[in-house]
Amino acid sequence: MRVTGTVRRAWVLVAALAVVPVAASACGGSAPEVRPTTLVTTTKPEPLPLTLEVARREYRAFLANDDVARAAGDERLALTWVSDGESALTAAEYRRAAFDGDPVKRYDYGTPKLYVPKLEPDVYPQWFVASVPRQERGDSKSRRTVLMAFILRAPGERWTLSLRTVLAPKAKEPKVVVDAYGYAEPMNTADTSVLIRPREVPGIQATVASEGPDSVAARVMKSGPLTTGYYAKARKERRRAKAKGLTRTTVITATQYPIFQLRTENGGGLVLYSLFRSTVTGVEDEEDETARPPIPPEAEHLLDGTIEGDEVHVFETLQFAAFDPARPKEGRGGRGGAPARPKAEVIAEAGGVHKADTPEEKKTPN
């Protein structure tokens, strides 16, 4: 019998269909077993309580890894162990060393005092503060007390160094209140038992630094190198710039970085925080299109050696610690033989330039 193309295609189709059950029932002709779909689920890490032992472990881990990074000049490794203002400052430190052709500074640390607040384990961020003597390796004369604030923002993340500041040479570190179990007492940022609510301390310092001793804010914060001293320095820099045919504007503002506050003896508080300081240096004679301001020495490692426009913008991250005294009782104002009203005092400072740029000159439309 002649097989036509149509019939041949039909036989091929039947043969193909006949194979399907055989392939599908490889075991005794039974129907294939239906397997349930495996669902991959992720579980959030359980919050762990912050204990003295956890703080000691994380403090030691930071020092070890930070030193490894510094010994190798490994900026990327160093940046994995820092956050907030410390990130910008650490990057700038490594870039400065590379620009100068110097090794990154290494440090030797003494025995730390760890101030570990008793926090709820499921409330984040978790944090603690370390106070420790530190010196540059090989230079015993550089020994200073450093205050370091560590932070953990969520379960399962890494503890990082958020803030590091250095006690002023003549400043006294206030005594932090510690209970019988060794835990420090944290304060709320809106605490009103102290002279200045902790969250307002950065703004108060920024105001005094910008407006000087005649500022209203100077009534609650002491004058000194880290307050009115910034004001005097900015005025002097402005006069020097003018003598060279330049303009100079300085602005100090608060940041969005975390604030750390601990209760001290006699009802006061130790507050750690950051500020931004930005400076713009420009050419006074705007009609001279060829005039350019000089590159500031403290920012040359962040610029490429050329000035595109007629201004240089320099940005600093500054990190501080302040003693915030207890709020005085009503009626204490220094009159009639009463004790003088207490003032907050900035006792520690660190930081430096982390960014600089030279915006191209804006063209005036014809």
Side-chain angles (χ1 to χ4, degrees):
M1 182 179 69
R2 181 184 178 189
V3 180
T4 65
T6 301
V7 175
R8 184 181 294 110
R9 286 193 295 270
W11 284 358
V12 171
L13 178 59
V14 171
L17 292 174
V19 173
V20 173
V22 176
S25 57
C27 193
S30 60
E33 180 183 356
V34 178
R35 298 181 179 179
T37 302
T38 302
L39 298 178
V40 179
T41 59
T42 58
T43 58
K44 294 183 179 180
E46 288 293 328
L48 298 175
L50 172 58
T51 64
L52 294 172
E53 182 54 39
V54 168
R56 280 191 289 266
R57 182 190 69 209
E58 297 302 331
Y59 169 78
R60 290 194 297 263
F62 171 80
L63 292 193
N65 285 278
D66 180 63
D67 190 57
V68 169
R70 289 173 179 275
D74 191 338
E75 179 184 343
R76 181 176 297 181
L77 174 60
L79 289 175
T80 63
W81 290 91
V82 293
S83 60
D84 304 315
E86 275 300 306
S87 292
L89 291 173
T90 297
E93 180 183 6
Y94 276 73
R95 290 166 194 171
R96 181 79 207 199
F99 179 84
D100 293 337
D102 296 330
V104 182
K105 290 180 180 178
R106 298 174 69 183
Y107 297 98
D108 293 321
Y109 293 83
T111 303
K113 291 182 290 186
L114 297 181
Y115 301 128
V116 184
K118 198 67 175 177
L119 304 172
E120 295 296 329
D122 57 346
V123 176
Y124 284 83
Q126 302 271 303
W127 56 273
F128 67 90
V129 173
S131 172
V132 58
R134 183 194 73 174
Q135 68 182 45
E136 291 182 27
R137 187 156 298 177
D139 183 5
S140 59
K141 295 182 179 180
S142 64
R143 189 177 179 87
R144 301 280 294 278
T145 296
V146 179
L147 299 172
M148 309 165 72
F150 295 86
I151 192 168
L152 177 68
R153 284 185 162 79
E157 291 190 3
R158 171 179 290 175
W159 281 89
T160 56
L161 178 67
S162 172
L163 181 150
R164 173 169 33 197
T165 189
V166 181
L167 197 67
K170 297 182 179 180
K172 291 185 178 181
E173 183 181 344
K175 294 183 179 180
V176 174
V177 173
V178 178
D179 67 17
Y181 300 97
Y183 288 94
E185 180 183 342
M187 296 171 60
N188 191 286
T189 58
D191 194 307
T192 57
S193 67
V194 285
L195 181 63
I196 307 172
R197 289 187 291 184
R199 69 186 181 195
E200 296 172 357
V201 171
I204 291 292
Q205 184 191 359
T207 301
V208 177
S210 299
E211 300 177 0
D214 295 331
S215 169
V216 174
R219 297 178 183 177
V220 293
M221 182 168 282
K222 289 183 179 181
S223 297
L226 306 180
T227 51
T228 52
Y230 280 117
Y231 172 78
K233 180 181 178 181
R235 292 189 65 185
K236 184 181 295 185
E237 290 174 342
R238 191 160 56 246
R239 289 195 298 267
R240 289 177 177 174
K242 186 174 181 62
K244 297 177 181 179
L246 302 170
T247 61
R248 189 175 178 92
T249 304
T250 301
V251 178
I252 298 178
T253 60
T255 74
Q256 296 298 316
Y257 297 144
I259 298 174
F260 308 91
Q261 54 281 322
L262 295 163
R263 181 72 65 187
T264 61
E265 290 184 344
N266 302 317
L270 174 64
V271 186
L272 283 70
Y273 57 94
S274 301
L275 291 176
F276 287 140
R277 183 175 187 261
S278 59
T279 304
V280 178
T281 303
V283 177
E284 192 170 31
D285 186 359
E286 297 181 355
E287 296 182 0
D288 186 350
E289 297 182 357
T290 62
R292 295 289 183 267
I295 296 178
E298 68 274 15
E300 58 183 349
H301 62 294
L302 299 171
L303 299 170
D304 60 3
T306 60
I307 304 294
E308 297 294 337
D310 57 0
E311 291 182 345
V312 176
H313 297 201
V314 176
F315 305 90
E316 298 171 81
T317 296
L318 304 174
Q319 305 194 117
F320 301 94
F323 170 63
D324 191 3
R327 178 178 292 276
K329 295 180 180 179
E330 294 296 329
R332 289 184 59 186
R335 296 180 180 179
R341 186 180 181 88
K343 290 186 177 183
E345 181 180 8
V346 183
I347 60 174
E349 175 205 31
V353 175
H354 72 268
K355 180 183 177 182
D357 58 42
T358 58
E360 292 187 10
E361 187 175 1
K362 295 180 180 179
K363 302 297 183 181
T364 304
N366 296 329

